[in-house]
C-alpha cells in the first residue's frame, strides 16, 4: 500500500525559508512522477514541482528560482522553499503516480493516484 506523509509546514515571514519533507512508503513501481502541489481556499490544487524516475524536474513558473525539489534514494521527496511570499501560503501535498510523465510543463492540474494528507504553510507579510 502506497503511503505518503508530509511534514515541515508551519509559519514563516516573507523572505524566509521552509523545507517540506514527504516520506514515501510502499511504492514499488519502477516509473513515477512524484510532485508537490499547493491548494489555497477556493482554488484548484496546483502542481508546484515534480520529479520523475530519470531525475528530470519540472517547476511551476510561479515559484521558479525560489523553490527546489529533491529526492533521496528511498524515493522520499523534499521541497526547499526560499524567499517565501504571502501568496505561497496554502496546504501543500505530495503526490505520486506511476504512469504520469510530468517532466514537461503540462501536469500542474493532473489528477494523481496517491496523495498525502497535506501540511499547512503560512507566510506572513
Amino acid at each position: 500500500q502506497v503511503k505518503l506523509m508530509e511534514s515541515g509546514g508551519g509559519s514563516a515571514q516573507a523572505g524566509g525559508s521552509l523545507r517540506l519533507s514527504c516520506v514515501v512508503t510502499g511504492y514499488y513501481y519502477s516509473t513515477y512522477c512524484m510532485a508537490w502541489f499547493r491548494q489555497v481556499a477556493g482554488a484548484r490544487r496546483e502542481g508546484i514541482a515534480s520529479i520523475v524516475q530519470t531525475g528530470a524536474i519540472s517547476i511551476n513558473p510561479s515559484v521558479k528560482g525560489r523553490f527546489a525539489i529533491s529526492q533521496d534514494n528511498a524515493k522520499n521527496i523534499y521541497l526547499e522553499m526560499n524567499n517565501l511570499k504571502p501568496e505561497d501560503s496554502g496546504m501543500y501535498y505530495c503526490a505520486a503516480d506511476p504512469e504520469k510523465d510530468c517532466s514537461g510543463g503540462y501536469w500542474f492540474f493532473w489528477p494523481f493516484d496517491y496523495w498525502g494528507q497535506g501540511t499547512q504553510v503560512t507566510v506572513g507579510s
Side-chain angles (χ1 to χ4, degrees):
Q1 184 179 2
V2 178
K3 291 186 178 179
L4 300 92
M5 181 172 293
E6 305 92 339
S7 63
S11 298
Q13 291 299 310
S17 299
L18 285 172
R19 186 175 190 252
L20 305 184
S21 300
C22 176
V23 174
V24 181
T25 57
Y27 194 97
Y28 300 110
Y29 300 99
S30 59
T31 61
Y32 58 82
C33 169
M34 294 194 180
W36 288 97
F37 286 75
R38 176 173 67 203
Q39 188 167 27
V40 299
R44 289 191 294 170
R45 198 174 294 185
E46 183 177 9
I48 297 298
S50 70
I51 186 166
V52 298
Q53 72 278 1
T54 61
I57 286 172
S58 174
I59 304 289
N60 190 307
S62 67
V63 301
K64 206 161 193 176
R66 300 188 297 119
F67 289 15
I69 187 171
S70 60
Q71 186 173 48
D72 62 23
N73 290 336
K75 293 190 178 72
N76 302 320
I77 60 171
Y78 306 90
L79 186 68
E80 190 76 35
M81 305 187 294
N82 298 309
N83 191 20
L84 284 163
K85 301 177 180 181
E87 53 264 40
D88 294 323
S89 298
M91 186 69 80
Y92 283 73
Y93 299 89
C94 65
D97 196 296
E99 297 183 358
K100 297 289 192 298
D101 178 6
C102 55
S103 56
Y106 304 101
W107 61 274
F108 301 139
F109 297 103
W110 288 355
F112 275 52
D113 281 355
Y114 305 103
W115 294 88
Q117 294 298 309
T119 186
Q120 179 69 38
V121 170
T122 303
V123 182
S125 57

